[in-house]
Amino acid sequence: MEESSKRSEQRKEMEKERKKGEKKRRKEEEEEEEEILIFNHKSAEKEKEDEDLSDSEDSVFSGLEDSGSDSEDDDDDDEDLKVDQNLSQQVKKEEEEDVQSSLKKKDEEEEVKRDEYEHDSSDEEDIRNTVGNIPMEWYKDFPHIGYDLDGKKIYKPIRNKDELDDFLDKMENPDYWRTVQDKQTGSDVVLSDEQVELVKRLQRGQFGDVNFNEYQPQVEFFTQEVMLHPVTNRPADKRSFIPSLLEKDKVSKLVHAIKMGWIKPRRDSRDDSRGRYYDLWASEDTSNLARHRMHLPAPKIPLPGHHESYNPPPEYLFTDEERALWEQQDPVDRKFPFVPRSFSSLRLVPAFPRFIHERFERCLDLYLCPRQRKMRVNVNPEDLIPKLPKPKDLQPFPTTQSLVYRGHSGLVRSISVSPSGQWLASGSDDGSVRFWEICSSRCLKTVQVGGAVKSVAWNPNPSVCLLAVALDSAVLILSPALADRQVVLSSDRLLSAPQEAEPIEGDGLVNWSDTEGEELNQGIRLKIQHPKAVQQVAWHTKGDYLASVMPDHSSHLQVLIHQVSRRRSQNPFRKNKGLVQSVSFHPIRPYFFVATQRSVRIYNLVKQDLTKKLHANSKWISSMAVHPGGDHVICGSYDCKLSWFDLDLSTKPYRMLRHHRKAVRSVAYHRLYPLFASAADDGSIIVCHGTVYNDLLQNPLIVPVKVLRGHVITHELGVLDVTFHPTQPWIFSSGADATIRLFT
């Protein structure tokens, strides 16, 4: 440490002496320049005086010569002498001013030079760091920062400033903000105004040159517009029309060299006679077995990895825990059949103890494991995705919520639209049936039935105006009298028909009765009493037959069919297989659909036998709807699935839709438009486009087009029922939030 401090002191003293010598040398040079300037100035003045004297002598001699002239001539000569003297004085003054201005310029230049030397940290003019373009951090731990042109070290400037000195310098020095450190020399450099402006322009992302115009118009030399005069009109050379003599000479020399054997042509890489590279498994494929068409070569043994090296990386070696786990595992479950080991050299590696076992297992694999040729089909993944049309091409379908029907105080479990499309009926858990005008959302009539309404169904026959209501263990037939007089009279005529005297199986279990008093005034005309709770009612297309569902495992009385005109009931099934969930009549043929938990059975009512059984592939069917054409059925289930059945295709679903996140409560088809919808407990209604073609070879087109939301989920229940308008592409939905909503 002492030696280094002494060296630094000696270096400082040497630098001081060198600076003093430089200052003396500069002063001597300045004094010599001043003496030379003064000497030149004096010599110039002497020459001018001599010229003036010669001029004056000429004038005197001329005056003496012309002494014999007239007095007027003498006066003119005196005036000429005065003018010459004035001119000489003016010339002298101008020359003196020029000398003074040149001296001032010299002084200013010297001051500028002195200022440059004051700000310059280097003592010599040609000190340059010759280390090149390298990271200066490499010299971080050295006392020097590089080497000059003579190969001498450039020592770092002494920096003994602490944070306090730096803060004081920041407060007092006005040029602190524009001072930067030169990494090449380690000295501080004060940026000029031009440099600061250049840095600011570069920070703003502008060009360094102020005068550069980045938006100057580009000169388009070659455009599509044919110019009148060509860009170059130089005539073509003669050499462009005749074969090149130089090339001919070169080709002849190459041909001669190839003939003499001096140049050998490039050897064909496919015919590698030297055999530097060869296929290790080529002998297997070129054998006699490979000639057979169905020959399958043996699969290759996987190549060894890092863990099989004699000196593997440490991460491939087992720890004590991994080794204990490997020993506990069965040989079949082990990842490697051996424990990776490390040896310092290849000659220390012992013989592999499992060599014979591995060869024997390989032979067993080739002998016992059959090999089969599989033809791979290269299919573009995009071709597997069905090309569906855009939803806007499939309009019309309901998109927005238009009306909300409020008035119920409980869950609205069922809704039904009249065949005319003018009235809407709804049944709720608050024990009321309400009749609404669809266009105005006005409640026209409320009928208190005294129990939670499970299902309502409007008679599909437009010539009558009747509504079937299922509550508890009874089915009520209501005549709301909302249509014209002729329809009301035909409805009364249907209900007042004479009762049949012949008893039919099921009549004893069902009690038909007319209503009186308050019930009759409200519009309740018939009451059909069932032995058990009724869950659903469904009308036949002609409007005379009515089916009711009473789900019960322990009884064969789960489905009853009633004839309203004759007031008689019958049990169509002696035995029911499964818990019946929903029933429906075929819109055209005499078929009857019965949906149980896992399947849908189709019965022929004329032949009285089972026609088809559809397997829904779902755990619990919740609802069912039949297409107006009669050849397709959709089923919703509580496990969030919707199944589309094509009756002419198969007994299994043609398409399974899993769009809902919760249980599907209701499904419905539109009578006229190719639309169907499903409602679920997640509060959404999914409207799908389902086109059925007359061509039996063409499958139905099913495209989801819209998700409708609006119902509030209440007690984990969302939308409970959904139905379409008979003539318009509108959909009605009822939910657990005691509202009915119309989407148009």
Side-chain angles (χ1 to χ4, degrees):
M1 292 292 288
E2 292 178 359
E3 291 179 359
S4 62
S5 62
K6 286 180 181 179
R7 287 176 184 171
S8 62
E9 289 176 359
Q10 291 175 0
R11 198 184 307 132
K12 289 179 184 176
E13 290 175 359
M14 291 172 66
E15 287 178 357
K16 288 179 181 178
E17 291 176 359
R18 198 191 323 153
K19 287 180 181 178
K20 287 179 181 178
E22 285 290 328
K23 288 180 180 178
K24 285 181 181 179
R25 184 167 55 80
R26 288 174 188 165
K27 284 182 180 179
E28 291 174 358
E29 290 176 355
E30 290 171 2
E31 289 174 357
E32 288 177 359
E33 288 177 357
E34 288 178 359
E35 289 175 358
I36 291 167
L37 287 170
I38 292 167
F39 178 78
N40 293 334
H41 181 58
K42 287 180 178 179
S43 61
E45 286 180 350
K46 283 181 180 180
E47 289 175 358
K48 288 177 182 176
E49 287 176 358
D50 294 340
E51 288 176 0
D52 295 338
L53 286 171
S54 63
D55 293 338
S56 62
E57 286 174 358
D58 292 339
S59 64
V60 170
F61 290 135
S62 64
L64 288 172
E65 289 172 359
D66 300 333
S67 59
S69 62
D70 298 334
S71 62
E72 292 176 1
D73 297 334
D74 294 336
D75 295 336
D76 294 335
D77 293 335
D78 293 335
E79 289 175 0
D80 293 336
L81 283 170
K82 288 178 182 178
V83 170
D84 293 336
Q85 288 176 0
N86 291 332
L87 285 170
S88 63
Q89 288 176 1
Q90 287 179 1
V91 169
K92 283 181 182 179
K93 284 181 182 179
E94 289 176 357
E95 289 177 352
E96 288 176 359
E97 289 175 357
D98 292 338
V99 171
Q100 288 177 359
S101 63
S102 63
L103 288 171
K104 282 182 181 179
K105 285 181 181 178
K106 295 267 186 181
D107 295 338
E108 288 175 359
E109 289 176 357
E110 288 176 359
E111 287 178 0
V112 170
K113 286 182 180 177
R114 285 171 192 161
D115 291 338
E116 287 178 357
Y117 283 123
E118 285 176 4
H119 288 291
D120 193 5
S121 62
S122 61
D123 296 323
E124 299 179 10
E125 293 179 3
D126 251 344
I127 288 182
R128 289 181 189 159
N129 201 348
T130 60
V131 293
N133 187 14
I134 62 166
M136 300 310 293
E137 298 171 358
W138 294 355
Y139 288 92
K140 182 173 61 177
D141 299 329
F142 294 96
H144 62 286
I145 202 167
Y147 301 91
D148 58 6
L149 293 171
D150 298 330
K152 297 178 181 179
K153 294 181 180 178
I154 301 174
Y155 289 95
K156 295 179 182 176
I158 299 167
R159 289 186 174 273
N160 53 5
K161 287 186 180 180
D162 55 2
E163 293 185 2
L164 184 60
D165 294 334
D166 187 52
F167 177 73
L168 292 174
D169 190 22
K170 185 177 182 179
M171 294 293 106
E172 295 172 359
N173 186 7
D175 292 332
Y176 178 84
W177 64 276
R178 63 166 69 195
T179 305
V180 296
Q181 184 183 358
D182 185 6
K183 290 186 179 180
Q184 290 282 341
T185 59
S187 60
D188 293 337
V189 179
V190 179
L191 300 178
S192 62
D193 293 338
E194 292 82 3
Q195 291 171 333
V196 172
E197 184 63 28
L198 175 63
V199 171
K200 287 182 179 178
R201 287 182 63 81
L202 293 177
Q203 284 179 342
R204 291 196 297 266
Q206 299 175 351
F207 288 93
D209 188 4
V210 184
N211 300 322
F212 180 73
N213 181 16
E214 55 182 314
Y215 301 111
Q216 58 187 350
Q218 182 182 1
V219 180
E220 296 286 350
F221 288 104
F222 300 98
T223 60
Q224 72 273 13
E225 298 176 2
V226 181
M227 299 172 64
L228 184 63
H229 301 288
V231 178
T232 60
N233 201 12
R234 189 173 63 85
D237 296 325
K238 183 182 177 182
R239 63 172 175 267
S240 62
F241 299 102
I242 60 174
S244 174
L245 297 176
L246 288 174
E247 289 180 1
K248 179 183 177 183
D249 192 21
K250 283 184 181 179
V251 170
S252 62
K253 287 181 180 179
L254 289 172
V255 170
H256 178 65
I258 291 171
K259 284 181 179 179
M260 297 298 292
W262 302 332
I263 297 177
K264 293 182 179 179
R266 189 181 290 116
R267 187 166 43 84
D268 191 1
S269 60
R270 291 173 293 182
D271 183 18
D272 198 350
S273 58
R274 287 181 292 176
R276 284 178 59 195
Y277 309 108
Y278 61 94
D279 187 2
L280 185 64
W281 311 98
S283 60
E284 186 177 359
D285 294 336
T286 56
S287 62
N288 293 328
L289 291 172
R291 297 176 186 173
H292 298 289
R293 185 180 178 187
M294 296 304 292
H295 168 65
L296 292 174
K300 310 290 189 299
I301 298 175
L303 298 174
H306 292 296
H307 55 275
E308 297 187 49
S309 172
Y310 73 92
N311 189 13
E315 60 265 19
Y316 288 94
L317 297 175
F318 282 177
T319 60
D320 295 339
E321 297 176 356
E322 291 175 345
R323 189 182 182 92
L325 180 64
W326 182 86
E327 290 173 352
Q328 291 175 3
Q329 287 177 335
D330 293 332
V332 182
D333 299 334
R334 290 173 180 169
K335 188 176 181 182
F336 305 127
F338 58 91
V339 179
R341 297 171 63 188
S342 179
F343 301 95
S344 58
S345 63
L346 192 59
R347 58 187 177 82
L348 298 177
V349 180
F352 186 41
R354 295 193 71 258
F355 176 72
I356 297 175
H357 292 279
E358 277 196 354
R359 295 296 97 193
F360 181 69
E361 288 172 1
R362 168 73 172 169
C363 294
L364 285 180
D365 290 342
L366 297 176
Y367 168 58
L368 295 175
C369 297
R371 297 188 291 277
Q372 182 181 2
R373 186 187 297 273
K374 287 188 177 180
M375 303 301 291
R376 285 187 179 179
V377 180
N378 295 325
V379 180
N380 188 9
E382 294 181 357
D383 296 341
L384 300 176
I385 301 172
K387 293 178 174 58
L388 299 177
K390 295 181 180 179
K392 66 178 182 180
D393 299 334
L394 304 176
Q395 289 178 344
F397 53 83
T399 56
T400 54
Q401 178 179 304
S402 297
L403 292 175
V404 180
Y405 303 83
R406 303 181 189 275
H408 286 290
S409 59
L411 280 74
V412 183
R413 292 192 178 272
S414 181
I415 53 175
S416 181
V417 186
S418 65
S420 62
Q422 187 178 2
W423 317 108
L424 174 69
S426 61
S428 172
D429 280 2
D430 58 4
S432 66
V433 176
R434 289 178 179 262
F435 295 91
W436 312 81
E437 187 179 14
I438 289 176
C439 294
S440 63
S441 74
R442 185 164 63 97
C443 182
L444 297 174
K445 194 173 184 180
T446 304
V447 179
Q448 296 293 336
V449 293
V453 179
K454 301 294 183 184
S455 176
V456 295
W458 213 293
N459 194 315
N461 190 354
S463 62
V464 295
C465 183
L466 295 175
L467 182 76
V469 180
L471 72 152
D472 297 337
S473 61
V475 174
L476 305 180
I477 307 297
L478 275 73
S479 178
L482 294 174
D484 56 0
R485 187 178 177 187
Q486 190 67 31
V487 175
V488 173
L489 288 175
S490 63
S491 303
D492 294 341
R493 201 178 304 117
L494 178 66
L495 294 175
S496 61
Q499 188 175 355
E500 282 289 330
E502 299 175 3
I504 299 176
E505 183 184 356
D507 262 355
L509 301 170
V510 177
N511 183 18
W512 291 71
S513 62
D514 292 321
T515 56
E516 297 176 353
E518 184 64 28
E519 291 182 345
L520 185 62
N521 293 334
Q522 286 185 341
I524 303 173
R525 301 296 303 274
L526 274 178
K527 188 173 184 180
I528 309 172
Q529 194 68 36
H530 290 66
K532 293 172 185 175
V534 181
Q535 199 73 22
Q536 185 215 356
V537 289
W539 286 97
H540 188 265
T541 314
K542 293 183 179 178
D544 191 16
Y545 288 94
L546 176 70
S548 58
V549 178
M550 299 171 289
D552 188 4
H553 271 298
S554 60
S555 173
H556 68 282
L557 282 172
Q558 294 193 56
V559 181
L560 290 177
I561 297 178
H562 314 284
Q563 187 178 8
V564 178
S565 61
R566 296 186 179 181
R567 293 193 184 185
R568 64 178 186 178
S569 305
Q570 57 180 334
N571 179 16
F573 308 112
R574 292 179 182 174
K575 183 170 65 173
N576 284 310
K577 296 180 180 179
L579 189 66
V580 178
Q581 298 295 315
S582 177
V583 296
S584 180
F585 288 96
H586 195 283
I588 303 168
R589 302 187 188 94
Y591 290 155
F592 189 58
F593 295 83
V594 179
T596 57
Q597 281 185 340
R598 296 291 185 92
S599 61
V600 178
R601 297 170 183 267
I602 305 173
Y603 295 95
N604 191 327
L605 297 176
V606 176
K607 296 180 180 178
Q608 297 182 2
D609 60 353
L610 178 66
T611 304
K612 195 172 288 187
K613 182 181 178 182
L614 308 176
H615 301 279
N617 292 342
S618 54
K619 295 179 180 177
W620 196 306
I621 294 174
S622 62
S623 54
M624 175 182 61
V626 183
H627 191 270
D631 292 333
H632 302 270
V633 178
I634 53 173
C635 294
S637 62
Y638 291 115
D639 53 355
C640 315
K641 297 178 185 176
L642 186 141
S643 309
W644 175 296
F645 291 95
D646 189 346
L647 301 183
D648 297 330
L649 186 66
S650 173
T651 58
K652 294 181 180 179
Y654 161 68
R655 185 70 59 84
M656 293 284 285
L657 304 179
R658 298 177 179 85
H659 298 145
H660 290 286
R661 290 175 295 173
K662 290 188 177 180
V664 179
R665 291 281 175 179
S666 178
V667 293
Y669 273 111
H670 199 287
R671 273 173 51 188
L672 300 179
Y673 292 95
L675 297 173
F676 68 95
S678 59
D681 281 342
D682 56 3
S684 66
I685 304 157
I686 296 180
V687 181
C688 301
H689 178 92
T691 303
V692 176
Y693 299 98
N694 293 327
D695 186 7
L696 296 177
L697 298 176
Q698 196 167 0
N699 294 326
L701 175 67
I702 300 172
V703 183
V705 290
K706 189 67 179 177
V707 179
L708 303 173
R709 300 182 189 276
H711 286 279
V712 181
I713 298 174
T714 309
H715 304 299
E716 295 185 358
L717 294 175
V719 186
L720 300 178
D721 195 13
V722 66
T723 184
F724 280 98
H725 192 276
T727 57
Q728 298 293 332
W730 301 346
I731 192 169
F732 300 87
S733 63
S734 63
D737 56 352
T739 61
I740 304 163
R741 297 172 189 266
L742 168 63
F743 297 91
T744 61

